[in-house]
Amino acid sequence: MHFAIVGAGIVGLCTAWELRQRGHTVTVYDPNPVSEASFAAAGMLAPVSEVVWDQPNLYPLMQRSKKLYPEFARSVAEASGMDVGYLTSETLVCAGDSADRVTLNELTELQEHIGQVHRLSAREARAMEPALGPGVVGAVHIPGDHQIDPRKFCAALLSLLGDAVVREAVEDVDKLTADHVIVAAGLAQIGGVPTLPVRPVYGDVLRLDVPEYLQPLVTRTVRAVVRGRPVYVVPRGDGTIVLGATSREDSPGVSAEGVHQLLRDAHHIIPGLWQCTINEMTARARPGSPDDVPMIGRVSEHVTVSTGYFRHGILLSVVGAKLTADIALGKPVDPETQRAIDPFRFKEHS
Ligand SMILES: Cc1cc2nc3c(=O)[nH]c(=O)nc-3n(C[C@H](O)[C@H](O)[C@H](O)COP(=O)(O)OP(=O)(O)OC[C@H]3O[C@@H](n4cnc5c(N)ncnc54)[C@H](O)[C@@H]3O)c2cc1C
């Protein structure tokens, strides 16, 4: 079959590669590939540390995708001959004061049902990451939460897809000539597709260079709760650091308050961070769904949508690509998953 895919963010690109692997042809349309959420993302593959209360439909998808990731990333790296930035570096989640420690302890009780989690004293955490400052009062160690560099991963996918990526915007899916159309355009509403309840949730991300004398500043992803606010520091293989991420539903530009908050909170956990140089500040929107679970399904005989990946789209892109391909090809998906991801599951839109 020939598929037209609208959107070359991580979801459209992974879906295109999955369909190619299954022997189909694809044309991917995007005026600016990898320019929206996938451009900003830190790339944490964190099914355990991302767990929050009351999202039972999200956990299984995150776990499934995490399991599928190594093989999918390996196949892309091997076929393209490019580094996709997949690292099995672990994750530490730190508490910034005793109230944050209570929050962290409560969450850890839930995380323990989902994956491997070890509670650490501040001293044990500092033994693992000597850059942690005196502000850290306790931590949890999550060895199975890894990372990928979304920019490298998407660059490898783009190179594999080559001329199949057409740098044009699609106004209306009915104008495309293909056996089936997949709409993976994040927040964009495309003509011919029913309006779905997807909303922008903006986040700021800083990219920093670490001076030679501080290398490596940290060797694991360090996440923290500081006075109730989340912050993370993701060390890349090239010695740089990604620092994020704020969350707001208004003002798309890089927020002065957001940048201040990120630097202040990260400094509380890792004081050496203030010796680093900022080389990029980015703000982009996460495509959020009302229950934080993606919306994947057929909206007509010839059109399948795949959006609403919210704050987990890098992690979920692999399972999302496989489910999108199955649904577009008319293959069965287990009923529980199908119900969880149904784009029409929200009452007011059914
Ligand atoms: C600050 C930040 C940090 C994040 N960190 C993480 C993380 O650590 N881990 C994680 O798992 N997730 C993370 N995410 C979430 C993740 O980035 C998103 O869920 C994911 O990138 C969504 O991918 P997508 O392909 O659906 O959308 P996008 O990446 O937004 O791509 C949509 C594409 O559609 C294209 N498009 C739009 N309109 C049209 C049109 N008319 N025709 C053709 N193409 C069109 C756009 O140009 C764009 O390239 C983060 C997000 C943000 C913003």
Side-chain angles (χ1 to χ4, degrees), residues 11 47 52-53 63 67 110 166 185 235 279 311 317 324 333 338:
V11 173
V52 292
W53 297 102
Q63 299 278 66
K67 284 207 183 89
L110 177 61
V166 176
N279 67 29
R311 58 177 78 250
S317 57
T324 306
V333 169
Q338 186 131 27

Side-chain angles (χ1 to χ4, degrees), residues 94-141:
C94 302
D97 66 20
S98 48
D100 295 325
R101 191 174 191 164
V102 173
T103 309
L104 202 60
N105 279 342
E106 284 172 3
L107 209 52
T108 305
E109 279 168 31
L110 177 61
Q111 291 166 337
E112 279 165 342
H113 294 286
I114 292 174
Q116 223 189 340
V117 179
H118 311 120
R119 292 168 197 253
L120 303 178
S121 65
R123 184 191 290 247
E124 288 167 327
R126 266 192 287 280
M128 293 176 92
E129 292 294 344
L132 296 181
V136 173
V137 301
V140 292
H141 173 216

Side-chain angles (χ1 to χ4, degrees), residues 8-13 33-43 149-152 154 184 207 236 284-287 313-314 317:
I10 197 163
V11 173
L13 293 173
V34 202
S35 57
E36 298 295 340
S38 307
F39 175 75
D149 183 334
R151 291 184 185 175
K152 286 190 173 168
C154 289
R207 288 177 160 78
R236 291 280 192 248
R284 289 290 187 277
R286 308 165 180 94
I314 305 302
S317 57

Side-chain angles (χ1 to χ4, degrees), residues 5-10 12-13 27-36 38 158 164-170 184-186:
I5 299 178
V6 185
I10 197 163
L13 293 173
T27 307
V28 185
Y29 295 90
D30 195 321
N32 280 308
V34 202
S35 57
E36 298 295 340
S38 307
L158 280 172
V165 180
V166 176
R167 289 170 191 256
E168 280 172 22
V170 171

Side-chain angles (χ1 to χ4, degrees), residues 22-192:
R22 297 190 194 188
H24 302 282
T25 56
V26 293
T27 307
V28 185
Y29 295 90
D30 195 321
N32 280 308
V34 202
S35 57
E36 298 295 340
S38 307
F39 175 75
M44 291 174 294
L45 306 176
V48 180
S49 50
E50 285 279 324
V51 156
V52 292
W53 297 102
D54 285 336
Q55 290 187 322
N57 290 337
L58 192 56
Y59 313 146
L61 285 176
M62 299 203 311
Q63 299 278 66
R64 258 167 86 181
S65 209
K66 178 68 198 350
K67 284 207 183 89
L68 293 166
Y69 233 102
E71 175 53 27
F72 195 91
R74 192 201 53 77
S75 81
V76 173
E78 203 172 279
S80 65
M82 292 165 72
D83 172 23
V84 297
Y86 182 81
L87 296 179
T88 55
S89 47
E90 310 173 331
T91 297
L92 276 187
V93 188
C94 302
D97 66 20
S98 48
D100 295 325
R101 191 174 191 164
V102 173
T103 309
L104 202 60
N105 279 342
E106 284 172 3
L107 209 52
T108 305
E109 279 168 31
L110 177 61
Q111 291 166 337
E112 279 165 342
H113 294 286
I114 292 174
Q116 223 189 340
V117 179
H118 311 120
R119 292 168 197 253
L120 303 178
S121 65
R123 184 191 290 247
E124 288 167 327
R126 266 192 287 280
M128 293 176 92
E129 292 294 344
L132 296 181
V136 173
V137 301
V140 292
H141 173 216
I142 305 179
D145 279 5
H146 300 153
Q147 63 155 301
I148 196 156
D149 183 334
R151 291 184 185 175
K152 286 190 173 168
F153 188 34
C154 289
L157 286 161
L158 280 172
S159 110
L160 282 173
L161 293 164
D163 293 345
V165 180
V166 176
R167 289 170 191 256
E168 280 172 22
V170 171
E171 303 292 324
D172 195 312
V173 290
D174 297 333
K175 301 213 171 100
L176 294 169
T177 50
D179 297 315
H180 196 90
V181 178
I182 292 170
V183 179
L187 285 159
Q189 289 291 340
I190 312 291

